[in-house]
Amino acid sequence: MKLPILIHPDPRLKKVAAPVADISDELRTLADNMLETMYDAPGIGLAAPQIAVGKRLIVLDCVKKEGEEPRPLVMFNPEVVASSEECNVYEEGCLSIPEQYAEVERPAEVSVRWIDRDGNEQQEDFDGLWATCVQHEIDHLDGKLFIDYLKPLKRQLITRKMVKLKREMARA
Ligand code: NI
């Protein structure tokens, strides 16, 4: 089932999400619905606060090449446990900030620990687009958006565009 995605600015996107205690069938269904919503958008990552659920859950799949096997990842309580000093700059976007893109600098490699959909602890190192995406999604769990890394003027400009977009969407 596809879920509606919150559009910035929304106070629910600014809240710190709560850790998940145990992985229920309900949470697994939520993760499946989030993946469906993300693929449909289309996007490469989605965090639970974006669909108005204040829980520490993200989904991602950064496989973009045609014909390559998809790799949907579901992460409960994800945590960056180590990051490289070396940084990467990517042009980022966000499903909650449609059609706005800006360059953000983040650690080029990160080691992430999380609980998978079967309740098992996992840890893996990510680089390239995966590293950027997983950090962007974990930020959502702390109420942080990629535009928070931009200069205030640029951030305000994007926010104003989003306010206008939401007004148009409400009217439609
Ligand atoms: Ni995002």
Side-chain angles (χ1 to χ4, degrees):
M1 188 179 73
K2 273 199 298 165
L3 308 162
I5 299 173
L6 296 181
I7 303 297
H8 165 74
D10 189 300
R12 289 166 289 183
L13 292 171
K14 301 305 292 173
K15 282 200 185 135
V16 176
V20 172
D22 50 1
I23 317 303
S24 58
D25 281 341
E26 207 181 316
L27 281 172
R28 272 186 277 269
T29 303
L30 177 66
D32 289 340
N33 289 335
M34 281 172 61
L35 278 168
E36 189 183 333
T37 304
M38 178 193 84
Y39 284 125
D40 181 76
I44 57 171
L46 188 68
Q50 293 181 274
I51 44 130
V53 174
K55 294 196 169 113
R56 301 192 82 81
L57 161 62
I58 63 171
V59 298
L60 63 159
D61 184 350
C62 298
V63 173
K64 280 211 319 205
K65 278 192 206 111
E66 201 73 39
E68 220 173 303
E69 199 63 24
R71 193 190 177 210
L73 280 181
V74 171
M75 299 182 175
F76 294 97
N77 303 337
E79 218 185 316
V80 174
V81 292
S83 25
S84 64
E85 268 178 45
E86 195 202 326
C87 287
N88 249 346
V89 176
Y90 265 100
E91 182 150 87
E92 296 191 22
C94 181
L95 294 178
S96 293
I97 311 174
E99 284 167 44
Q100 302 299 318
Y101 305 91
E103 287 190 338
V104 177
E105 188 180 75
R106 299 179 187 271
E109 274 181 63
V110 285
S111 189
V112 179
R113 193 188 295 150
W114 74 94
I115 308 292
D116 69 15
R117 54 179 301 131
D118 301 314
N120 299 315
E121 193 176 288
Q122 302 282 349
Q123 188 168 331
E124 193 176 320
D125 295 342
F126 295 96
D127 62 11
L129 184 57
W130 285 92
T132 288
C133 183
V134 76
Q135 291 174 84
H136 173 123
E137 299 313 326
I138 292 174
D139 271 354
H140 273 299
L141 305 181
D142 295 316
K144 195 165 185 182
L145 304 171
F146 82 89
I147 55 170
D148 294 329
Y149 292 93
L150 309 180
K151 296 213 173 71
L153 213 60
K154 175 106 201 230
R155 182 165 63 239
Q156 284 157 19
L157 185 73
I158 291 177
T159 300
R160 269 202 296 274
K161 280 187 190 162
M162 289 303 104
V163 169
K164 194 164 163 252
L165 174 72
K166 285 175 83 168
R167 217 183 289 137
E168 281 162 10
M169 283 163 70
R171 237 186 262 133

